[in-house]
Amino acid sequence: MSIYVGNLSFKVTEADLTAVFAEYGSVKRVQIPTDRETGRIRGFGFVEMSSEAEEQAAIAALDGAEWMGRDLKVNKARPREERPTSGFRSGNGNSGGERRRSFQSRY
């Protein structure tokens, strides 16, 4: 299992996060997702530690702690939710059968 770390500074690095969590045990892996379009850090990350006891110690110590000017949100990560794979995309009102134009025709 892994630990979810939220409300991270947008300047944080994997090395920074590793150093903080290493105070509570052996860090196996750190992941900080970035936005696909901008490449900017999304403000959260995941940390895996060697044992459940180390994870619990880190969660107890760091949840709500101020770090890099922000109050961290630290808890057990939940399993990733499955996304629909049917190809259906919502949001634009277009069912896929007709292309919408973003301009008006002059004719």
Side-chain angles (χ1 to χ4, degrees):
M1 198 59 157
S2 65
I3 300 170
Y4 166 84
V5 186
N7 201 29
L8 289 174
S9 166
F10 293 107
K11 296 178 182 178
V12 73
T13 66
E14 288 183 6
D16 293 333
L17 211 49
T18 299
V20 168
F21 278 81
E23 294 179 29
Y24 304 96
S26 178
V27 177
K28 291 171 52 177
R29 185 173 77 119
V30 172
Q31 179 185 11
I32 302 174
T34 56
D35 184 87
R36 286 184 206 171
E37 293 179 16
T38 65
R40 183 176 161 179
I41 292 171
R42 296 177 63 195
F44 65 92
F46 300 94
V47 177
E48 278 186 44
M49 300 187 78
S50 294
S51 73
E52 181 77 24
E54 291 172 346
E55 287 182 357
Q56 289 301 327
I59 291 169
L62 297 172
D63 187 33
E66 190 274 330
W67 184 55
M68 295 181 79
R70 295 180 166 245
D71 293 334
L72 297 179
K73 178 66 179 161
V74 183
N75 54 36
K76 276 289 210 190
R78 293 188 302 238
R80 187 174 187 165
E81 293 180 12
E82 293 296 319
R83 292 186 177 185
T85 58
S86 65
F88 174 76
R89 296 181 76 149
S90 63
N92 66 0
N94 185 2
S95 63
E98 166 186 334
R99 290 186 82 161
R100 294 183 116 184
R101 294 183 178 223
S102 59
F103 61 92
Q104 287 186 329
S105 175
R106 293 185 220 173
Y107 304 102

